[in-house]
PDB file of all heavy atoms in Angstrom:
ATOM      1  N   LEU A  16       6.907  26.337  25.973  1.00  0.00           N
ATOM      2  CA  LEU A  16       5.561  26.801  26.302  1.00  0.00           C
ATOM      3  C   LEU A  16       5.215  26.448  27.741  1.00  0.00           C
ATOM      4  O   LEU A  16       4.648  27.264  28.477  1.00  0.00           O
ATOM      5  CB  LEU A  16       4.532  26.165  25.361  1.00  0.00           C
ATOM      6  CG  LEU A  16       4.537  26.585  23.895  1.00  0.00           C
ATOM      7  CD1 LEU A  16       3.449  25.847  23.139  1.00  0.00           C
ATOM      8  CD2 LEU A  16       4.352  28.082  23.760  1.00  0.00           C
ATOM      9  N   GLY A  85      -8.134  32.190  23.262  1.00  0.00           N
ATOM     10  CA  GLY A  85      -7.094  32.587  24.195  1.00  0.00           C
ATOM     11  C   GLY A  85      -5.835  31.760  24.100  1.00  0.00           C
ATOM     12  O   GLY A  85      -4.971  31.830  24.970  1.00  0.00           O
ATOM     13  N   THR A 145       6.324  24.688  -5.090  1.00  0.00           N
ATOM     14  CA  THR A 145       7.455  24.071  -4.401  1.00  0.00           C
ATOM     15  C   THR A 145       8.778  24.652  -4.888  1.00  0.00           C
ATOM     16  O   THR A 145       8.874  25.170  -5.994  1.00  0.00           O
ATOM     17  CB  THR A 145       7.486  22.549  -4.609  1.00  0.00           C
ATOM     18  OG1 THR A 145       7.728  22.244  -6.000  1.00  0.00           O
ATOM     19  CG2 THR A 145       6.180  21.907  -4.175  1.00  0.00           C
ATOM     20  N   VAL A 153      19.037   9.749   4.677  1.00  0.00           N
ATOM     21  CA  VAL A 153      17.966   9.132   5.450  1.00  0.00           C
ATOM     22  C   VAL A 153      18.428   7.759   5.915  1.00  0.00           C
ATOM     23  O   VAL A 153      19.042   7.014   5.146  1.00  0.00           O
ATOM     24  CB  VAL A 153      16.677   8.986   4.607  1.00  0.00           C
ATOM     25  CG1 VAL A 153      15.585   8.270   5.401  1.00  0.00           C
ATOM     26  CG2 VAL A 153      16.181  10.353   4.153  1.00  0.00           C
ATOM     27  N   GLY A 155      18.867   4.069   6.492  1.00  0.00           N
ATOM     28  CA  GLY A 155      18.468   2.921   5.689  1.00  0.00           C
ATOM     29  C   GLY A 155      18.567   3.138   4.197  1.00  0.00           C
ATOM     30  O   GLY A 155      18.299   2.239   3.420  1.00  0.00           O
ATOM     31  N   ASP A 158      21.515   6.559  -0.975  1.00  0.00           N
ATOM     32  CA  ASP A 158      21.529   7.810  -1.723  1.00  0.00           C
ATOM     33  C   ASP A 158      20.907   8.936  -0.905  1.00  0.00           C
ATOM     34  O   ASP A 158      20.269   8.718   0.124  1.00  0.00           O
ATOM     35  CB  ASP A 158      20.778   7.649  -3.053  1.00  0.00           C
ATOM     36  CG  ASP A 158      19.351   7.159  -2.849  1.00  0.00           C
ATOM     37  OD1 ASP A 158      19.096   6.483  -1.838  1.00  0.00           O
ATOM     38  OD2 ASP A 158      18.489   7.453  -3.692  1.00  0.00           O
ATOM     39  N   GLN A 168       2.227  30.231   2.311  1.00  0.00           N
ATOM     40  CA  GLN A 168       1.745  31.574   2.610  1.00  0.00           C
ATOM     41  C   GLN A 168       1.438  32.337   1.329  1.00  0.00           C
ATOM     42  O   GLN A 168       2.286  32.400   0.435  1.00  0.00           O
ATOM     43  CB  GLN A 168       2.776  32.329   3.438  1.00  0.00           C
ATOM     44  CG  GLN A 168       2.946  31.748   4.839  1.00  0.00           C
ATOM     45  CD  GLN A 168       4.163  32.310   5.544  1.00  0.00           C
ATOM     46  OE1 GLN A 168       5.283  32.068   5.118  1.00  0.00           O
ATOM     47  NE2 GLN A 168       3.936  33.046   6.611  1.00  0.00           N
ATOM     48  N   VAL A 200      19.478  10.883 -24.072  1.00  0.00           N
ATOM     49  CA  VAL A 200      18.157  10.820 -23.445  1.00  0.00           C
ATOM     50  C   VAL A 200      17.389  12.076 -23.817  1.00  0.00           C
ATOM     51  O   VAL A 200      17.975  13.111 -24.140  1.00  0.00           O
ATOM     52  CB  VAL A 200      18.243  10.683 -21.915  1.00  0.00           C
ATOM     53  CG1 VAL A 200      18.855   9.355 -21.521  1.00  0.00           C
ATOM     54  CG2 VAL A 200      19.012  11.839 -21.307  1.00  0.00           C
ATOM     55  N   LEU A 225      33.995  13.520  -8.066  1.00  0.00           N
ATOM     56  CA  LEU A 225      33.249  14.654  -7.524  1.00  0.00           C
ATOM     57  C   LEU A 225      31.749  14.543  -7.803  1.00  0.00           C
ATOM     58  O   LEU A 225      30.992  15.470  -7.519  1.00  0.00           O
ATOM     59  CB  LEU A 225      33.772  15.969  -8.109  1.00  0.00           C
ATOM     60  CG  LEU A 225      35.226  16.327  -7.796  1.00  0.00           C
ATOM     61  CD1 LEU A 225      35.603  17.636  -8.472  1.00  0.00           C
ATOM     62  CD2 LEU A 225      35.444  16.427  -6.286  1.00  0.00           C
ATOM     63  N   ILE A 229      23.192  10.214  -7.085  1.00  0.00           N
ATOM     64  CA  ILE A 229      22.141  10.876  -7.865  1.00  0.00           C
ATOM     65  C   ILE A 229      22.480  12.358  -7.806  1.00  0.00           C
ATOM     66  O   ILE A 229      22.181  13.035  -6.828  1.00  0.00           O
ATOM     67  CB  ILE A 229      20.743  10.598  -7.297  1.00  0.00           C
ATOM     68  CG1 ILE A 229      20.467   9.096  -7.267  1.00  0.00           C
ATOM     69  CG2 ILE A 229      19.679  11.316  -8.113  1.00  0.00           C
ATOM     70  CD1 ILE A 229      19.139   8.728  -6.647  1.00  0.00           C
ATOM     71  N   GLU A 234      14.175  18.280 -15.609  1.00  0.00           N
ATOM     72  CA  GLU A 234      12.749  17.992 -15.677  1.00  0.00           C
ATOM     73  C   GLU A 234      12.006  19.100 -16.397  1.00  0.00           C
ATOM     74  O   GLU A 234      12.457  20.246 -16.461  1.00  0.00           O
ATOM     75  CB  GLU A 234      12.167  17.782 -14.277  1.00  0.00           C
ATOM     76  CG  GLU A 234      12.321  18.954 -13.332  1.00  0.00           C
ATOM     77  CD  GLU A 234      11.802  18.632 -11.944  1.00  0.00           C
ATOM     78  OE1 GLU A 234      11.730  17.438 -11.586  1.00  0.00           O
ATOM     79  OE2 GLU A 234      11.475  19.580 -11.210  1.00  0.00           O
TER      80      GLU A 234
END
Side-chain angles (χ1 to χ4, degrees):
L16 291 180
T145 65
V153 177
D158 56 333
Q168 293 168 294
V200 294
L225 297 179
I229 302 177
E234 59 184 23

